[in-house]
C-alpha cells in the first residue's frame, strides 16, 4: 500500500475504459427494457439459452473479419489455453448448435440477452462491454424466419416506445452481384462493401474517393454508386435491379429472396413504413450470406440500434455440415440511451413500494409483523434499517429513494388498532386496520399515475 493510499487521499479505483458501473436506477431501466424485449421474443416462440462469456479462441477466430479479429479480447488462461471473451452471441450460438444438435428441436428458435466484449475506441454508444439482445432461428432457409426477425424488432422497439425506427434491408449476394456487374475484381469486393456501407455517413463523393483510393477503376466506382443509390418502394427498386442485372444468377437468387421476405412481411401485417430497401447496406461482419438488416432511428443520431442477417455457412464451420440460420442482435446500450434521452419509459426510481417506519425499540414487533405481512401480500416492503431512527429521518429516506408509501405504527396507532398509511407524493393519510393493509396498499399503488 502506498503512503498516499494509507492516508486515504488516493483516487477511487477506476473501472477499465469502455466499461461501466450501473446504479440501481439505471439497472431498473435496463431491466425494464430487457423484460419487454423478452416478452416480445417469447410471444414469437423463441426460448432462452445461455453460453459462457469465455470461449476457446479457436471458436471465435476467423469469424468476424480482419477488423473483428483486432478488437477481440484474447489471452492465455491459467492452464495456458488460448481463450477469448465472446465478441457477439451469434458465433457462440453456432458452436452451441454444433455441440447440442441432438438435444435440440429444429427449426430451433432461441433468444439470448447478455454482455459481449470488443476492444473498440470508446465513444457515445460504443463501449467495450455492452449487451446484445439476440433472436435467431436455426435450421430453415425459409424467408419467413428472416421476416420474423424484422417483425420482432419492430414490435420490440415499439414496446419501449421508440419512435421513427426503420429497418433497412439488403442482401449480401445482391452486393456481390452489383460489384461483379460494375466490373470490380473479386478480391476488391470487400473494399467496395466497406466503402458503400459509409454512403449515409460520407456521401457519394466520399464513397467514390474511398473506392478510387483503393484502386477501383473510375468507371467501376461510378457503376457501383449508380446501383446502390437506387431509391424508392422496395418492389419497383427490386424490379429495376433485376432488369439491370438480368441473367446474373446471384442477383436473381438475392432478388427472389428479398421479394419473398417482403411478401412475408406483408402477410405478417408489418407496417411498410417501418422497413425499407437500402442497397448500400453491407453490415460489417464476415459471416453473413443472405439478407442483412439494420435498425436505425432518425433522432437522435446514435448509429445502428441493431444488426441482423442470414448466415447459412457459420454453423457448418463447426459441424462440417451446413445448417442454415438467420437472426438479429439489438444493441441494448444505444436503445437505453435513446429511451433515456427522449424519456420514453417511466420506470420507478426504486423497487420498494412501502417503508414501514419504526417508532422506537419497543415497536420492532409490530413493525416487522407488518413488513412481513406486506411482503406475503406481494408488496415490496422494507423496514427502516438506519440506526438513528427519528421519524423525520425515516421519512426523508423514503422521500430520497422515491418510495411512494410510508407506514406508521406507533403507540397512537396501536391504541386504535390501526396503521397510518401516508402517500408521500400527496401527503394524503389513511387509517387502515391491520388485516386490510396489503389489500389497501395494492389498491393505492395501482391507482398511482404511471
Ligand atoms: P453487430 O454485432 O456489430 O452487428 O452489432 C449489433 C448491434 O450491437 C449494433 O447495432 C449496436 O447497437 C450494438 N453494438 C455494436 N458494437 C457496440 C459497442 N461497441 N458498444 C455498444 N453497442 C454496440
Amino acid at each position: 500500500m502506498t503512503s498516499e493510499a494509507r492516508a486515504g487521499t488516493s483516487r477511487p479505483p477506476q473501472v477499465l475504459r469502455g466499461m461501466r458501473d450501473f446504479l440501481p436506477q439505471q439497472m431498473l431501466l435496463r431491466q425494464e427494457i430487457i423484460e419487454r424485449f423478452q416478452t416480445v421474443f417469447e410471444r414469437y416462440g423463441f426460448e432462452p439459452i445461455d453460453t459462457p462469456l469465455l470461449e476457446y479462441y479457436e471458436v471465435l477466430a476467423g469469424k468476424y473479419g480482419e477488423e473483428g479479429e483486432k478488437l477481440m479480447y484474447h489471452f492465455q488462461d491459467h492452464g495456458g489455453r488460448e481463450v477469448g471473451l465472446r465478441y457477439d452471441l451469434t458465433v457462440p450460438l453456432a458452436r452451441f448448435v454444433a455441440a447440442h444438435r441432438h438435444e435440440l428441436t429444429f427449426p430451433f428458435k432461441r433468444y439470448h440477452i447478455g454482455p459481449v466484449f470488443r476492444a473498440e475506441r470508446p465513444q457515445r454508444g460504443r463501449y467495450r462491454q455492452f449487451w446484445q439482445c439476440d433472436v435467431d432461428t436455426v435450421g430453415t432457409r425459409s424467408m419467413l424466419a428472416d421476416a420474423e426477425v424484422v417483425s420482432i424488432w419492430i414490435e420490440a422497439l415499439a414496446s419501449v416506445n421508440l419512435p421513427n425506427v426503420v429497418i433497412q434491408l439488403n442482401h449480401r449476394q445482391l452486393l456481390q452481384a452489383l460489384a461483379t456487374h460494375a466490373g470490380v475484381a473479386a478480391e476488391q469486393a470487400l473494399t467496395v462493401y466497406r466503402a458503400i456501407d459509409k454512403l449515409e455517413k460520407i456521401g457519394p463523393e466520399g464513397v467514390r474517393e474511398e473506392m478510387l483510393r483503393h484502386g477501383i477503376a473510375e468507371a467501376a466506382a461510378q457503376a457501383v454508386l449508380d446501383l446502390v443509390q437506387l431509391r424508392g418502394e422496395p418492389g419497383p427498386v427490386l424490379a429495376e435491379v433485376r432488369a439491370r442485372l438480368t441473367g446474373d444468377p446471384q442477383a436473381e437468387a438475392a432478388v427472389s429472396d428479398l421479394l419473398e421476405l417482403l411478401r412475408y412481411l406483408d402477410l405478417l401485417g408489418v407496417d411498410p413504413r417501418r422497413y425499407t430497401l437500402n442497397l448500400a447496406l453491407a453490415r460489417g461482419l464476415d459471416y453473413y450470406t443472405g439478407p442483412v438488416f439494420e435498425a436505425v432511428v432518425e433522432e437522435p443520431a446514435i448509429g445502428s440500434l441493431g444488426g441482423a442477417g442470414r448466415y447459412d455457412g457459420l454453423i457448418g464451420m463447426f459441424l462440417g455440415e451446413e445448417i442454415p440460420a438467420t437472426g438479429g442482435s439489438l444493441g441494448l446500450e444505444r436503445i437505453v440511451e435513446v429511451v433515456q434521452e427522449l424519456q420514453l419509459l417511466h420506470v420507478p426510481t426504486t423497487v420498494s413500494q412501502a417503508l414501514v417506519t419504526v417508532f422506537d425499540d419497543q415497536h420492532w414487533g409490530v413493525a416487522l409483523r407488518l413488513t412481513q405481512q406486506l411482503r406475503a401480500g406481494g408488496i415490496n416492503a422494507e423496514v427502516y434499517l438506519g440506526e438513528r431512527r427519528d421519524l423525520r429521518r425515516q421519512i426523508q429516506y423514503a422521500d430520497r429513494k422515491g418510495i411512494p408509501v410510508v407506514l406508521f405504527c406507533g403507540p397512537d396507532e396501536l391504541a386504535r388498532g390501526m396503521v397510518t398509511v401516508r402517500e408521500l407524493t400527496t401527503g394524503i393519510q389513511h387509517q387502515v386496520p391491520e388485516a386490510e393493509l396489503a389489500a389497501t396498499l395494492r389498491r393505492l399503488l395501482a391507482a398511482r399515475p404511471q
Side-chain angles (χ1 to χ4, degrees), residues 45-96:
F46 287 77
E47 294 185 296
I49 67 158
D50 200 8
T51 65
L53 294 182
L54 214 51
E55 294 272 3
Y56 278 109
Y57 175 63
E58 65 184 42
V59 166
L60 308 176
K63 313 294 189 307
Y64 300 105
E66 221 175 286
E67 197 56 17
E69 207 72 36
K70 276 192 238 146
L71 301 180
M72 199 181 301
Y73 282 96
H74 163 205
F75 52 94
Q76 270 192 0
D77 74 0
H78 293 64
R81 287 169 287 258
E82 297 293 323
V83 295
L85 280 172
R86 68 184 181 201
Y87 182 90
D88 70 0
L89 301 174
T90 311
V91 171
L93 169 67
R95 196 239 347 110
F96 174 97

Side-chain angles (χ1 to χ4, degrees), residues 175-213:
L175 273 178
Q176 268 168 30
L178 292 180
T180 313
H181 176 79
V184 173
E187 65 274 13
Q188 284 188 309
L190 270 176
T191 314
V192 170
Y193 303 160
R194 266 187 223 123
I196 60 173
D197 209 29
K198 299 183 195 153
L199 184 62
E200 255 160 55
K201 218 190 274 173
I202 61 178
E205 265 320 302
V207 173
R208 185 201 315 280
E209 275 165 30
E210 180 160 334
M211 284 196 277
L212 297 184
R213 219 175 26 252

Side-chain angles (χ1 to χ4, degrees), residues 57 278 281 295 312 366:
Y57 175 63
N278 175 5
L281 176 72
D312 287 347
V366 60

Side-chain angles (χ1 to χ4, degrees), residues 87-88 118 120 125-132 283-285 287-288 294-295 303-308 329-334:
Y87 182 90
D88 70 0
R118 298 182 189 176
E120 307 208 56
R126 194 172 288 282
Y127 303 97
R128 292 185 169 173
Q129 176 176 339
F130 58 97
W131 280 50
Q132 293 194 321
R283 301 283 314 132
L285 303 175
Y287 50 62
Y288 292 123
E294 194 163 283
S304 79
L305 296 185
S329 174
L330 288 171
L332 184 67
E333 320 308 318
R334 296 182 192 174

Side-chain angles (χ1 to χ4, degrees), residues 121-127 300-303 333-334 337-338 341:
R121 203 164 59 78
Q123 52 189 288
R124 183 176 185 223
R126 194 172 288 282
Y127 303 97
I302 195 165
E333 320 308 318
R334 296 182 192 174
E337 273 162 47
V338 178
E341 188 167 324

Side-chain angles (χ1 to χ4, degrees), residues 169-432:
L169 310 172
N170 198 11
H171 198 295
R172 266 293 169 92
Q173 289 181 45
L174 194 54
L175 273 178
Q176 268 168 30
L178 292 180
T180 313
H181 176 79
V184 173
E187 65 274 13
Q188 284 188 309
L190 270 176
T191 314
V192 170
Y193 303 160
R194 266 187 223 123
I196 60 173
D197 209 29
K198 299 183 195 153
L199 184 62
E200 255 160 55
K201 218 190 274 173
I202 61 178
E205 265 320 302
V207 173
R208 185 201 315 280
E209 275 165 30
E210 180 160 334
M211 284 196 277
L212 297 184
R213 219 175 26 252
H214 284 93
I216 311 286
E218 178 96 45
Q222 188 55 48
V224 168
L225 274 169
D226 284 348
L227 282 165
V228 300
Q229 289 185 96
L230 287 174
R231 287 283 177 277
E233 294 279 307
V237 170
L238 285 177
E240 174 70 22
V241 170
R242 190 174 241 166
R244 291 205 201 179
L245 304 189
T246 189
D248 182 318
Q250 226 174 8
E252 277 298 322
V255 169
S256 72
D257 271 358
L258 286 174
L259 287 173
E260 207 180 324
L261 174 53
L262 292 169
R263 189 172 67 90
Y264 280 124
L265 288 177
D266 185 40
L267 294 177
L268 285 167
V270 176
D271 180 351
R273 288 168 304 183
R274 299 268 74 94
Y275 57 87
T276 170
L277 204 61
N278 175 5
L279 299 177
L281 176 72
R283 301 283 314 132
L285 303 175
D286 262 14
Y287 50 62
Y288 292 123
T289 55
V292 284
F293 345 125
E294 194 163 283
V296 285
V297 273
E298 280 157 22
E299 266 303 315
I302 195 165
S304 79
L305 296 185
R310 179 164 276 278
Y311 48 96
D312 287 347
L314 185 60
I315 298 170
M317 291 171 85
F318 295 104
L319 210 54
E321 172 198 336
E322 251 191 33
I323 298 187
T326 188
S329 174
L330 288 171
L332 184 67
E333 320 308 318
R334 296 182 192 174
I335 293 167
V336 169
E337 273 162 47
V338 178
V339 167
Q340 226 161 11
E341 188 167 324
L342 304 181
Q343 299 185 6
L344 301 175
L345 285 180
H346 297 284
V347 175
T349 54
T350 174
V351 296
S352 273
Q353 296 172 299
L355 174 75
V356 179
T357 56
V358 189
F359 187 79
D360 61 19
D361 276 345
Q362 274 66 57
H363 288 76
W364 277 116
V366 60
L368 292 181
R369 189 176 72 234
L370 295 182
T371 312
Q372 290 296 70
Q373 235 177 63
L374 290 178
R375 291 170 178 162
I379 288 161
N380 297 348
E382 57 178 308
V383 69
Y384 187 68
L385 285 172
E387 289 167 49
R388 292 167 59 191
R389 250 184 275 95
D390 52 290
L391 278 184
R392 192 185 52 82
R393 204 179 287 273
Q394 298 191 50
I395 294 166
Q396 209 173 51
Y397 170 83
D399 203 35
R400 283 215 180 119
K401 279 188 67 171
I403 302 174
V405 172
V406 178
L407 276 65
F408 303 93
C409 45
D412 289 355
E413 282 84 2
L414 281 180
R416 282 184 278 119
M418 292 284 184
V419 179
T420 302
V421 173
R422 183 189 296 179
E423 298 183 71
L424 269 200
T425 39
T426 56
I428 295 172
Q429 298 207 140
H430 311 265
Q431 299 301 317
V432 183

